[in-house]
Amino acid sequence: MLPQQQEINKNEENKKSEFIRNVTILAPIDHGRSTLIDNLKITSSGILQNQQINNENEHEEAEMKYFSRKTGNSYHYNYLTNENDIDSSLNNNLNGQYIINLINCGNFGSTFNEEDSNFKLSDGAIILIDCVEGLNLQHELMIRNCLFEKIKPIFFINKIDRLILELNMLQEEIYQILFKIIVKINIFIETYNDETVFKDFKISPELDNVIFGSVLYNFGFTLKSFTKLYAKKFGLDEEKIKKKFWGNYTFDAKNKKWTKMNLVVEGNNNNNNNNNEKRCFCQFILDPMIKVIQYCFDDANRETHLYKTLPHLGISLTNTERLLNGKQLLKLIMLKWLPFGDLLFEMIIKQLPSPIKAQSYRFDHLYTGPLNDKYAESIKLCDENGPLMIYLTKVVPCTGMPVRVLNNDIFRMGLKKGIFETTFRQLLTFCDNNNNDEIETSSLCGNIIGFIGVDKNIVNGNISSGTATITNVIEKEAYPFITTRRAIASMDGKIRVAIEPVNSNDLPKVMNALDHFSRFGDYMDVSVDPETGQKIISSTSELQLNLWIQELKDHYLKGIEIKVSDPIIDFRETIIENNILQSSSNLYFSKNNGFKLFIESEPLPEDLINEIESGKINIARKDLNYLRNNYDGWKDESLKILTFGSDNAVGNILVGPSNLIKINDDYNTNYPLNCLIEDCINVGFQQATLKGILCDEPVRGLKSKVTFIPEKDFTKINNEKLIEISKKAFHQSQLICQPRLMEPMYLAEISCPQSVVGKVYTCINMCRGMFEQEEKVMNTTLFKVKAFIPALESGKFTTMMRSESGGQAFVQFNFNHWELIEDDPFDKNCHRVRDIIKSVRKRKGLKEELPEISDFEK
C-alpha cells in the first residue's frame, strides 16, 4: 500500500460521507497516547502537504502539538491502493481522499463527560496497550464501553522496544507476551459483545486489526508489513505466507516447506516448543527487527553489519545521517523502514466504518425520539438532504443561520423548558487544529465540524451538561440525541472539592481559569453546584485533586488566594425492607385536599439496578423488552411503569395499576381527571429519589407502586402542591422501609515489586479494604494486586501505601460499585454511619437530627 503524496484541488475532492472516518484514541495514562499524536504526522506520507508541520516556527509547532494532545486532529489523507497488493482488487473502491478525524479521549477514566461525548462522535476507536504492563482494568472498561456504544475498536500494542532494549527478551518470550495480550483482548470482546452488530468479531494479526510497534521510535508493523517484503524477494504467494507468520508454524529450510511446531505442555504454558524450533513470527519478523534495533546501539557492529543490511530493506542513509547513533539513529531508520503513521491510517480506512455504515446500526443509540420518525431515519441513512441534526459536545467561548438548540438533559417534548434559538455566524472545518481553520458554508453529512454563534447561550448556563442537540428552527418535532447512561453511572463515587476566591472581586478570574484549565488542561471535571453556585472539581483520586489544585495555583491563579473545601464524597440511600404487608403504613391521606395516595415500596435486586444504570434498559424511550425477557415478574408489570428516577438517581422505578386513578362509586366522575395528575406524581417520585430522607443524597434501588384515590369532596388541586404532597408520601414510604446508606467502593489496582506485596496487604486491611486478586506480571519482578477500597479511605490508603512501600507501589482507582453500610442510622450506637450522615447534613445546611414519621404530616 503506497499512499501518494500530492496536492489535490479542493473542487476535485470526493465529497462523500463514505470517505470520512471518526475515530477516538483510547489509552490509560503513560501507554503512549500523547506520543502517538505527536509523531503521527511525521510517520505518514499520505497527509496533504499543506498540513505538514512548519519547523521554522517552533512556538507555533509546540502550540499545535499542545492542542493536538488535548483535542485531537482532523487529517486530509490521500489513499491509493498499490496494484501489487494482495487485496488491491477488493479495495480499489477505497481509493480517494479521506477526512480522518482523530479525537483525543484524554486520560481514560479521568473525565467521563469528555469520554461520553467522544463515544457519541466516534464510529471507531484505537486502543493503545503497553506490552510491558499488559492489559489492565481500564482496558477492559474501554472495550466494554466501545462495544456497548457499537464502536468498532482496533488495537496498537505499543512499546515493543522496551521488551528488546530494557528487558532483553528472547524472540519466543516476546511472541508469548503478544499472544497472551491478544487472547485476553478476545476474552473481553467475547464477554461484552452481544453479536448483534459485530458478529464473530475478534482481534488477530491475521485479520490486520492489530499493530505492533513503538510510537516513541516511530515504527509499527503488521504481518502484512513483512509478507510483502518476503513475497517480493522470494516470489512467494503473499496471502499464503501471511497465514504462516502467526501461530505455531515453523519453516523447514532444509526441505523448504512450512510445518507445524512440535509443542510440549509445561505448567500452564502450552505453547513451548522443543528441538529448538523457531516459529515463523520469530524467525522472519522479530529476528531482523531486533538485529536492526541492537545494531543502532552497537558501535562495533554498526558499520560492518547495520549499514550493509539497510540496502536490503530499501533504506539509504546520507553521510550526515550515518553520524547519528543510538536513539536518534533508531528513530530515523524505523521512520524510513516501518513508519506507523501510514499503517495506522490504512487500518483506519479498511477496518473502521464510515458514518454512513456506522449510523445504520448506531442510530438507536444516538436518538431519544421515535425510531420511525423522519429525524431517526435521516440519522440512520446519514442523509445529506434530511433535516439538520447536530450533536454539540464541546464549547469554547469566542469573540448565518438560525438554529434551534435542545438541552439533552432537561428537554421534554411538549414543554418549552430546555429550548432556545440562536444563529450560526460561521462554520469551520478543522485541519490539524492550526490557526488557519477554513470557513465553509456547508459540510459533509457525518463529519465533525466547528461553528461560531451558540457559545454565549451555552456558557451563560442554558446548557450545564456541555452537550446539546442542534437542528433547524422549523423542526419542532425533533428529539435530542441521547446522553449516555454509562457516563452518568461512571460519575458515581467521585471525590469533589469546591473552590472559591478569598476576595470576591477575583471570582471572574477564578471562573475563567477553571474554564480554561478544564478544556485545555489535564481533563478534569468541573461543574457548578446547582444549589450553592460553587465551582466543583471532581476526580476518583484525592491525590489527583491536590495536584490539579496546585497546578491551578502555580500557573493559572498567580497572585489570587483561593479557598478549597474539604473533600466531598457522594453517597447513596436505599431501603432494605418492604411495606407491602403493612397496609396501615401504605396510605398517605391528604385531608385538606380530598385524596389518598396508596404506596407500596420494596428494594430492587442489585443486578437489575446495575443494568438500568448501565443503559441496557433504554429508559429514554422506555424500551423495556430486555426487562420483560430477562426478569421474572416483570412481563406484565413492565407495562405499568410510570417513570424511572432522574439522571442522578436513575436506578429507581415507579409503577402503577392499569388505572393509576382509582374512582370511588360516590365520586363525581364529571371532574376531568387527566394525565396531569400522573405527571405530578412522577415528578414527586423523581424529586423524592433525587434527595433521600437521610441526608439528601440520591436514592438507589427503590421500587414503589402508587395508586391515587380521590375522595368525594376532591376538588382540583394546584400542580405544584400535588408534586410536594407526592414527594412527602414517597419520603414517608422510604422511612418505613428501613433506610440505609451506601458508600462508593473503588477497585484499586496496585503495581509493586514482590518485596512490598506484604506491606500492600497491610495497607488494604487498615483502610477497610477487601482483597480481590493478585497476579505476577509475566517476565518482570512486578506484581499486580487488586482490592476494593472505600472512597472515604482512598486518600489515606494512597498516603499510607506510598509511605510503607517507600514509593515503590503505585495505585490506580476506578469506581466499581456501591457498598451497603449495614449499620442502622437510627441506632444511636452505630456511630460511624451516624457521623457520616451528620457531616453530610451539616454541609448541606440541614438540621442534624434525622427525620421522623411525624415530620411528614398528612
Side-chain angles (χ1 to χ4, degrees):
M1 197 68 58
L2 297 175
Q4 304 298 313
Q5 182 178 337
Q6 57 182 330
E7 289 285 354
I8 294 183
N9 190 305
K10 287 287 183 182
N11 295 327
E12 297 177 359
E13 288 184 3
N14 193 340
K15 292 199 171 184
K16 295 181 179 179
S17 296
E18 291 93 337
F19 286 77
I20 296 176
R21 297 292 186 272
N22 299 319
V23 184
T24 189
I25 304 174
L26 301 171
I29 189 170
D30 201 31
H31 277 232
R33 172 182 48 83
S34 297
T35 309
L36 181 144
I37 294 171
D38 289 346
N39 293 346
L40 183 60
K41 178 170 285 188
I42 64 174
T43 58
S44 173
S45 61
I47 300 173
L48 295 190
Q49 290 180 356
N50 62 357
Q51 286 188 266
Q52 295 300 320
I53 294 177
N54 178 12
N55 290 315
E56 296 178 359
N57 191 333
E58 295 181 2
H59 176 74
E60 182 179 337
E61 179 183 345
E63 189 178 62
M64 288 169 58
K65 281 190 176 183
Y66 176 75
F67 282 98
S68 298
R69 288 184 177 187
K70 300 308 178 186
T71 58
N73 293 334
S74 277
Y75 295 97
H76 286 265
Y77 185 83
N78 193 47
Y79 178 82
L80 188 61
T81 308
N82 191 306
E83 294 180 356
N84 296 324
D85 284 342
I86 57 175
D87 52 358
S88 61
S89 60
L90 302 175
N91 292 292
N92 283 332
N93 60 332
L94 294 176
N95 293 343
Q97 183 183 327
Y98 286 79
I99 299 174
I100 299 179
N101 300 305
L102 294 184
I103 308 166
N104 186 1
C105 199
N107 296 331
F108 187 90
S110 64
T111 167
F112 295 101
N113 286 339
E114 190 88 24
E115 292 158 20
D116 179 40
S117 301
N118 290 345
F119 277 119
K120 280 286 175 279
L121 292 177
S122 305
D123 304 314
I126 304 166
I127 299 179
L128 277 85
I129 301 169
D130 183 336
C131 63
V132 177
E133 294 189 14
L135 276 79
N136 58 28
L137 174 65
Q138 285 189 313
H139 286 113
E140 182 178 0
L141 294 175
M142 292 172 194
I143 295 171
R144 184 189 70 184
N145 293 336
C146 282
L147 296 176
F148 174 76
E149 288 291 333
K150 301 181 181 180
I151 293 173
K152 187 177 182 180
I154 57 177
F155 292 81
F156 194 122
I157 300 180
N158 191 26
K159 302 191 180 183
I160 298 288
D161 58 289
R162 292 186 61 194
L163 302 180
I164 300 168
L165 296 175
E166 293 181 23
L167 302 177
N168 296 313
M169 289 188 177
L170 300 175
Q171 292 93 324
E172 181 64 23
E173 293 175 324
I174 295 174
Y175 173 84
Q176 292 299 331
I177 286 179
L178 302 179
F179 177 81
K180 289 181 179 180
I181 289 174
I182 291 174
V183 168
K184 198 168 184 179
I185 290 172
N186 285 322
I187 290 174
F188 290 153
I189 290 174
E190 187 176 354
T191 302
Y192 298 114
N193 189 19
D194 62 6
E195 297 285 337
T196 57
V197 177
F198 305 128
K199 187 173 179 60
D200 299 326
F201 176 57
K202 68 175 183 177
I203 296 299
S204 171
E206 298 169 277
L207 300 176
D208 290 328
N209 51 17
V210 59
I211 297 175
F212 308 110
S214 168
V215 295
L216 176 63
Y217 289 103
N218 302 326
F219 74 89
F221 64 90
T222 61
L223 300 186
K224 185 179 175 182
S225 304
F226 285 86
T227 55
K228 288 191 296 183
L229 178 67
Y230 289 108
K232 181 179 179 180
K233 183 176 181 180
F234 298 108
L236 301 174
D237 181 81
E238 189 173 332
E239 185 64 25
K240 180 179 179 180
I241 61 175
K242 179 181 175 183
K243 295 178 180 179
K244 308 298 183 183
F245 273 17
W246 186 257
N248 302 321
Y249 289 96
T250 184
F251 182 70
D252 185 349
K254 182 178 181 179
N255 298 312
K256 298 188 181 301
K257 64 178 183 179
W258 310 94
T259 61
K260 276 278 190 177
M261 299 175 64
N262 296 319
L263 301 177
V264 295
V265 177
E266 181 181 331
N268 293 326
N269 187 354
N270 62 354
N271 277 327
N272 294 289
N273 64 81
N274 58 5
N275 298 328
N276 295 318
E277 291 179 319
K278 182 174 286 189
R279 68 180 73 244
C280 293
F281 183 82
C282 298
Q283 180 179 355
F284 295 107
I285 295 179
L286 291 182
D287 266 0
M289 188 179 67
I290 290 175
K291 287 178 181 178
V292 168
I293 292 175
Q294 290 176 340
Y295 288 156
C296 289
F297 295 86
D298 186 354
D299 295 336
N301 293 313
R302 188 180 305 134
E303 192 70 37
T304 56
H305 292 81
L306 178 62
Y307 295 150
K308 291 183 179 180
T309 303
L310 293 183
H312 297 287
L313 302 176
I315 301 171
S316 61
L317 299 179
T318 65
N319 293 333
T320 303
E321 290 171 341
R322 284 172 175 261
L323 299 178
L324 299 175
N325 56 41
K327 294 180 179 180
Q328 291 76 20
L329 180 61
L330 177 58
K331 287 183 179 182
L332 177 65
I333 290 175
M334 287 303 186
L335 186 61
K336 292 173 177 285
W337 183 26
L338 299 168
F340 74 83
D342 287 325
L343 190 63
L344 185 60
F345 279 131
E346 178 184 336
M347 188 172 289
I348 288 172
I349 290 169
K350 296 171 68 173
Q351 295 290 337
L352 300 183
S354 67
I356 287 183
K357 182 176 181 180
Q359 287 177 199
S360 66
Y361 54 78
R362 292 192 68 218
F363 76 103
D364 60 337
H365 262 52
L366 300 174
Y367 185 59
T368 59
L371 297 182
N372 58 355
D373 70 11
K374 66 177 182 179
Y375 307 101
E377 190 67 20
S378 177
I379 295 170
K380 179 180 179 180
L381 299 176
C382 197
D383 185 4
E384 62 181 9
N385 298 316
L388 175 70
M389 295 292 289
I390 298 174
Y391 181 49
L392 186 151
T393 63
K394 192 177 184 70
V395 180
V396 179
C398 59
T399 54
M401 164 184 171
V403 293
R404 188 168 183 255
V405 183
L406 312 179
N407 186 326
N408 287 354
D409 296 325
I410 65 174
F411 170 84
R412 296 294 182 271
M413 182 59 71
L415 302 177
K416 293 184 178 180
K417 191 174 182 181
I419 304 174
F420 64 91
E421 295 183 0
T422 186
T423 302
F424 279 173
R425 295 193 182 93
Q426 288 181 350
L427 177 67
L428 306 176
T429 57
F430 296 95
C431 295
D432 200 33
N433 289 304
N434 55 25
N435 295 323
N436 298 317
D437 299 327
E438 299 188 12
I439 299 174
E440 301 280 359
T441 57
S442 64
S443 177
L444 297 180
C445 190
N447 195 17
I448 295 176
I449 61 170
F451 46 82
I452 298 173
V454 301
D455 55 293
K456 181 177 179 181
N457 303 80
I458 296 171
V459 172
N460 285 344
N462 290 316
I463 299 179
S464 58
S465 67
T467 66
T469 299
I470 297 175
T471 186
N472 290 322
V473 291
I474 62 173
E475 305 295 350
K476 305 297 184 183
E477 303 300 319
Y479 285 76
F481 286 101
I482 291 175
T483 300
T484 309
R485 294 292 168 188
R486 176 199 65 80
I488 294 170
S490 299
M491 285 292 293
D492 291 342
K494 301 194 84 173
I495 301 174
R496 299 172 290 136
V497 293
I499 292 181
E500 59 179 326
V502 173
N503 186 344
S504 59
N505 293 331
D506 293 328
L507 182 60
K509 295 179 181 178
V510 173
M511 301 280 278
N512 289 336
L514 286 171
D515 287 339
H516 183 77
F517 192 32
S518 65
R519 290 191 194 96
F520 306 122
D522 286 348
Y523 283 117
M524 62 180 171
D525 286 320
V526 176
S527 59
V528 179
D529 190 314
E531 297 180 354
T532 65
Q534 291 177 306
K535 279 282 188 176
I536 304 294
I537 300 178
S538 307
S539 175
T540 55
S541 168
E542 191 172 341
L543 176 62
Q544 183 65 68
L545 281 176
N546 293 334
L547 293 174
W548 280 337
I549 292 168
Q550 190 61 46
E551 185 170 350
L552 275 169
K553 291 179 179 178
D554 293 343
H555 301 289
Y556 290 84
L557 296 172
K558 291 182 179 180
I560 299 176
E561 291 186 58
I562 59 173
K563 294 187 293 185
V564 181
S565 70
D566 293 332
I568 302 168
I569 295 177
D570 291 325
F571 294 90
R572 291 292 182 267
E573 300 182 27
T574 190
I575 60 173
I576 59 172
E577 300 290 344
N578 65 65
N579 67 344
I580 294 177
L581 300 179
Q582 305 174 31
S583 57
S584 61
S585 301
N586 296 348
L587 196 60
Y588 187 97
F589 178 48
S590 181
K591 183 177 181 180
N592 296 331
N593 297 285
F595 69 87
K596 300 175 183 178
L597 286 175
F598 191 80
I599 300 174
E600 297 177 339
S601 296
E602 60 180 308
L604 287 171
E606 183 66 24
D607 55 345
L608 175 56
I609 302 170
N610 290 332
E611 295 199 324
I612 294 174
E613 292 176 338
S614 68
K616 283 190 176 180
I617 299 174
N618 193 331
I619 67 174
R621 290 189 301 271
K622 293 188 179 180
D623 183 4
L624 304 175
N625 289 328
Y626 185 89
L627 179 62
R628 284 191 287 269
N629 296 334
N630 292 275
Y631 288 91
D632 295 336
W634 283 93
K635 185 174 182 180
D636 296 325
E637 199 158 28
S638 64
L639 301 175
K640 304 174 184 177
I641 291 179
L642 302 178
T643 188
F644 293 83
S646 59
D647 283 346
N648 291 329
V650 68
N652 304 285
I653 300 178
L654 177 65
V655 299
S658 56
N659 185 0
L660 169 67
I661 304 168
K662 184 177 181 181
I663 307 298
N664 291 336
D665 293 338
D666 56 354
Y667 173 69
N668 180 10
T669 57
N670 293 326
Y671 179 75
L673 288 173
N674 54 39
C675 63
L676 285 179
I677 290 180
E678 178 180 323
D679 291 342
C680 290
I681 292 175
N682 289 349
V683 173
F685 176 77
Q686 291 187 338
Q687 291 184 0
T689 53
L690 185 60
K691 294 184 177 182
I693 59 167
L694 294 178
C695 51
D696 271 11
E697 291 291 275
V699 178
R700 184 175 184 271
L702 172 69
K703 174 191 172 185
S704 293
K705 183 176 182 179
V706 61
T707 304
F708 181 89
I709 309 174
E711 296 296 312
K712 181 179 180 181
D713 56 347
F714 176 73
T715 57
K716 187 175 181 180
I717 185 173
N718 180 273
N719 291 343
E720 286 76 11
K721 193 169 185 179
L722 180 54
I723 291 173
E724 184 61 29
I725 292 172
S726 301
K727 177 182 174 182
K728 285 187 175 182
F730 288 116
H731 272 160
Q732 176 187 277
S733 178
Q734 292 173 36
L735 194 57
I736 294 170
C737 295
Q738 297 294 309
R740 291 291 186 272
L741 199 66
M742 304 182 82
E743 65 177 333
M745 297 291 287
Y746 293 160
L747 179 57
E749 189 173 275
I750 305 112
S751 299
C752 63
Q754 184 177 7
S755 59
V756 299
V757 169
K759 295 179 180 179
V760 169
Y761 281 107
T762 300
C763 296
I764 292 172
N765 293 330
M766 294 183 67
C767 294
R768 298 191 293 117
M770 295 177 287
F771 169 76
E772 174 69 9
Q773 181 183 341
E774 175 190 321
E775 63 179 359
K776 188 178 185 299
V777 180
M778 188 174 62
N779 297 313
T780 70
T781 60
L782 294 178
F783 278 74
K784 281 188 178 180
V785 179
K786 293 182 180 180
F788 295 115
I789 304 293
L792 277 172
E793 308 286 348
S794 60
K796 173 185 174 183
F797 178 76
T798 302
T799 303
M800 181 183 296
M801 192 181 61
R802 189 166 59 244
S803 173
E804 292 293 322
S805 68
Q808 298 183 73
F810 300 90
V811 63
Q812 182 174 310
F813 291 112
N814 282 282
F815 172 78
N816 187 267
H817 67 277
W818 293 99
E819 185 77 10
L820 179 69
I821 301 177
E822 297 182 357
D823 296 345
D824 184 356
F826 293 91
D827 184 349
K828 294 184 178 181
N829 294 321
C830 297
H831 299 293
R832 186 171 71 88
V833 69
R834 288 178 66 87
D835 288 344
I836 294 173
I837 293 174
K838 182 179 178 180
S839 65
V840 175
R841 292 182 69 87
K842 182 179 179 180
R843 172 170 56 83
K844 295 185 176 183
L846 306 173
K847 63 178 184 180
E848 292 187 4
E849 297 79 15
L850 289 172
E852 300 177 355
I853 294 292
S854 59
D855 294 329
F856 306 98
E857 297 179 358
K858 297 186 178 181

